[in-house]
Amino acid sequence: MQLRLLSLFPICSIFSAFCDSPAQNVEIQEPNITSFAYPEGVDVSASNPEHIDWKALHIQFAYIKATEGTTYRNPKFSSQYTEAYKAGLIRGAYHFAHPDGKSGEEQARYFIEHGGGWSKDGKTLPGMVDLGADPHGKTCYGLSDAAMVKWIRAFVKEYRAKTSRRVTSTI
């Protein structure tokens, strides 16, 4: 089973730059990681088993893929998400973005409606948006820089309006 290892650090600074600052060119500082270890976790999706031995992974958190675009829902999401919780992990859901498809608002709503919400239970991470490489190989999904920033702002604004949480990201 192949899992992508994640390290939890202030990745939301990327979205803060897009959403909280009027500046278009924002320098993002990398955290100094010389003497501090961040919690480790994984992200999983339908390509991973439905039932994962979470305790054997020796991790503190997991992000489970809930949705992609506005048409795909991970058929294993419910089991993976619930079992991670039962294993004592802090967990959250993520959405694989398709900025070249529906608007940021529409994709944020679809994500929230299908597992990407947030609950005040001390075990739920804010939703994460995966802005990974375009599966068709286009840079920035064929969008201009301004259009990509507009899409990200719309997603983040809608997610925060509906959940009161800031979304995190992976790129």
Side-chain angles (χ1 to χ4, degrees):
M1 165 175 55
Q2 193 115 40
L3 300 175
R4 183 168 54 165
L5 188 64
L6 302 172
S7 182
L8 198 56
F9 65 93
I11 52 181
C12 58
S13 64
I14 293 169
F15 285 110
S16 294
F18 286 131
C19 300
D20 297 336
S21 170
Q24 291 296 317
N25 298 316
V26 178
E27 184 178 330
I28 299 171
Q29 298 280 325
E30 290 293 321
N32 181 355
I33 315 176
T34 56
S35 64
F36 184 78
Y38 290 101
E40 290 185 328
V42 295
D43 80 51
V44 299
S45 66
S47 64
N48 299 108
E50 185 167 354
H51 304 289
I52 296 168
D53 185 356
W54 294 103
K55 292 186 184 225
L57 297 176
H58 304 289
I59 55 172
Q60 292 78 44
F61 72 95
Y63 269 103
I64 294 98
K65 181 177 183 176
T67 56
E68 184 171 329
T70 56
T71 58
Y72 176 80
R73 294 180 357 191
N74 174 3
K76 299 176 184 175
F77 174 77
S78 183
S79 296
Q80 291 170 333
Y81 194 77
T82 302
E83 289 177 13
Y85 180 85
K86 287 179 180 176
L89 295 179
I90 298 171
R91 84 285 186 253
Y94 78 90
H95 172 78
F96 190 89
H98 281 278
D100 58 343
K102 300 285 184 173
S103 71
E105 294 96 339
E106 289 175 275
Q107 290 191 44
R109 283 193 297 272
Y110 185 77
F111 174 47
I112 293 164
E113 291 167 5
H114 301 288
W118 182 81
S119 58
K120 192 177 181 178
D121 61 3
K123 302 282 273 180
T124 305
L125 293 165
M128 181 168 59
V129 60
D130 185 343
L131 292 162
D134 181 337
H136 307 292
K138 295 181 274 180
T139 302
C140 284
Y141 289 81
L143 302 178
S144 68
D145 290 349
M148 189 68 161
V149 168
K150 182 179 178 183
W151 190 97
I152 293 168
R153 281 188 176 139
F155 187 98
V156 171
K157 183 178 177 184
E158 184 69 13
Y159 186 85
R160 189 166 189 186
K162 300 282 191 247
T163 67
S164 76
R165 310 297 341 142
R166 289 179 187 259
V167 71
T168 61
S169 76
T170 184
I171 298 176

